[in-house]
Amino acid sequence: MNPITPYCLFVGCFWLAIFGGTATHELEENDEHPHKWEMLYLVHQWPVTVCKMNEHDCKEDPLLYWTIHGLWPDKAEDCNRTWHFNLSELQDLMGDMKKYWPDVLHPNHTFFWKHEWEKHGTCAAMLESLNSEEKYFSKALELYKRIDLNSYLLKVGITPGSTSYQLAAIRDALIDAYGVTPKIQCLPGEEGHIQIIGQMKFCITKEFTLRNCTEPKTDPSPAPEDHFYHTEDLEICNDTLTYYPSHLHE
Ligand SMILES: *[C@@H]1O[C@H](CO)[C@@H](O)[C@H](O)[C@H]1NC(C)=O
Ligand SMILES: *[C@@H]1O[C@H](CO)[C@@H](O)[C@H](O)[C@H]1NC(C)=O
Ligand SMILES: *[C@@H]1O[C@H](CO)[C@@H](O)[C@H](O)[C@H]1NC(C)=O
Ligand SMILES: *[C@@H]1O[C@H](CO)[C@@H](O)[C@H](O)[C@H]1NC(C)=O
Ligand SMILES: *[C@@H]1O[C@H](CO)[C@@H](O)[C@H](O)[C@H]1NC(C)=O
């Protein structure tokens, strides 16, 4: 894909959304709901790093492409405990779900998807365009395909292996492609080892266009986390060398 394409797709639409005027929509959304949120994170995870963080659970060779961790509203979790996960509703999406949104540690993906729906999907469902399981999961798959991170990184020569990259090089490549900077999270290096890239969170408006993530300084409320994979060990990457591993052990 031409790197400009996703930029136009998202940033073009971003400005349209701003000037097209969605103010009334915004006003209606807020205040009436106890679980209000402003934007979504489309969280990509690097399965090799997830495996490193969960060595006891990691049975097979990890996948070598970025997979979906989740589509998470900021500032809201577990919004509707009576809206139970129903696997049958994902029947039509099953091929894509297993490929792009697998549980990277366990052979049965159902618990992972159930967890993502109950913790994040029931909050996302406040938007009409996400108010069913099928809409929620299929929108995440659609955004993931539009961002097409794996193809883009390969194309610009940022590939996993034994070499490392400066974080700035990765970030600049992402700005070139998408016009925005995702939050990039790393597993801190231990004892002189360098940090390891683990997750990328792309920030997405309620109109499903990419936006820059709010800087931590101006946003006092912590972003939601999801500890299904012990990702509490991840931190925002430092501006230094970053390892993008293709193997669990080198
Ligand atoms: C919560 O989920 C139940 C069951 O699906 C649904 O009937 C109800 O409208 C939902 N409540 C909200 C606030 O979305
Ligand atoms: C689960 O979804 C299927 C397919 O949409 C539907 O037929 C079934 O009634 C649902 N089950 C429950 C318990 O809601
Ligand atoms: C996965 O786990 C769920 C929940 O226990 C179960 O209903 C389902 O049959 C399992 N799927 C497979 C393929 O084993
Ligand atoms: C996002 O931030 C980057 C770097 O600060 C900037 O170059 C870019 O124009 C911003 N994009 C948008 C859509 O605001
Ligand atoms: C970034 O650097 C600080 C200070 O040296 C350190 O405490 C932190 O763990 C580092 N983060 C990562 C992701 O390596």
Side-chain angles (χ1 to χ4, degrees):
M1 192 192 276
N2 182 321
I4 206 72
T5 310
Y7 180 87
C8 293
L9 260 175
F10 286 109
V11 179
C13 301
F14 172 80
W15 294 115
L16 258 180
I18 294 278
F19 294 113
T22 48
T24 46
H25 168 80
E26 290 285 329
L27 284 176
E28 282 161 16
E29 287 281 327
N30 288 342
D31 299 329
E32 288 156 32
H33 292 295
H35 300 286
K36 58 184 178 181
W37 52 267
E38 302 301 328
M39 66 173 180
L40 295 156
Y41 295 99
L42 182 67
V43 185
H44 289 62
Q45 61 185 355
W46 183 244
V48 179
T49 307
V50 177
C51 257
K52 277 184 189 290
M53 294 186 293
N54 298 268
E55 295 222 32
H56 298 299
D57 282 331
C58 191
K59 307 279 190 298
E60 295 164 41
D61 283 343
L63 295 168
L64 285 178
Y65 55 91
W66 291 84
T67 60
I68 302 173
H69 186 168
L71 182 64
W72 305 345
D74 66 337
K75 305 176 192 163
E77 286 179 356
D78 295 310
C79 295
N80 189 342
R81 291 179 192 275
T82 65
W83 200 341
H84 299 299
F85 180 73
N86 178 354
L87 185 65
S88 311
E89 293 195 21
L90 301 186
Q91 218 49 259
D92 294 345
L93 305 174
M94 206 43 81
D96 278 357
M97 287 298 295
K98 287 181 177 165
K99 184 165 182 199
Y100 303 125
W101 201 335
D103 182 333
V104 297
L105 298 181
H106 312 107
N108 185 335
H109 309 292
T110 306
F111 293 105
F112 179 43
W113 297 336
K114 177 179 187 305
H115 169 88
E116 291 300 312
W117 168 252
E118 289 172 354
K119 184 160 183 183
H120 308 288
T122 57
C123 300
M126 305 290 157
L127 272 194
E128 201 191 328
S129 47
L130 298 175
N131 69 358
S132 74
E133 253 184 66
E134 186 172 15
K135 286 185 192 174
Y136 170 73
F137 285 97
S138 64
K139 180 57 82 176
L141 290 165
E142 178 198 320
L143 291 166
Y144 170 88
K145 289 180 187 176
R146 269 162 67 188
I147 290 174
D148 200 13
L149 178 64
N150 291 294
S151 308
Y152 178 69
L153 290 176
L154 272 178
K155 186 175 164 171
V156 295
I158 297 176
T159 54
S162 47
T163 51
S164 306
Y165 297 90
Q166 287 293 342
L167 183 73
I170 298 174
R171 200 195 306 109
D172 289 351
L174 295 171
I175 294 185
D176 278 353
Y178 304 113
V180 297
T181 37
K183 288 192 184 182
I184 310 177
Q185 292 177 299
C186 287
L187 189 61
E190 289 162 11
E191 296 159 31
H193 287 92
I194 64 174
Q195 62 186 357
I196 304 170
I197 198 164
Q199 281 197 147
M200 289 195 204
K201 294 180 173 174
F202 285 89
C203 293
I204 295 186
T205 66
K206 287 178 178 172
E207 290 78 30
F208 307 113
T209 61
L210 279 178
R211 50 162 284 174
N212 275 325
C213 301
T214 311
E215 293 306 318
K217 285 179 219 88
T218 60
D219 184 2
S221 58
E225 266 310 332
D226 182 333
H227 297 156
F228 191 84
Y229 292 123
H230 302 297
T231 40
E232 62 267 25
D233 293 343
L234 293 175
E235 298 173 5
I236 294 289
C237 302
N238 286 323
D239 226 334
T240 59
L241 267 184
T242 307
Y243 187 34
Y244 183 16
S246 57
H247 291 93
L248 278 182
H249 310 281
E250 75 262 45

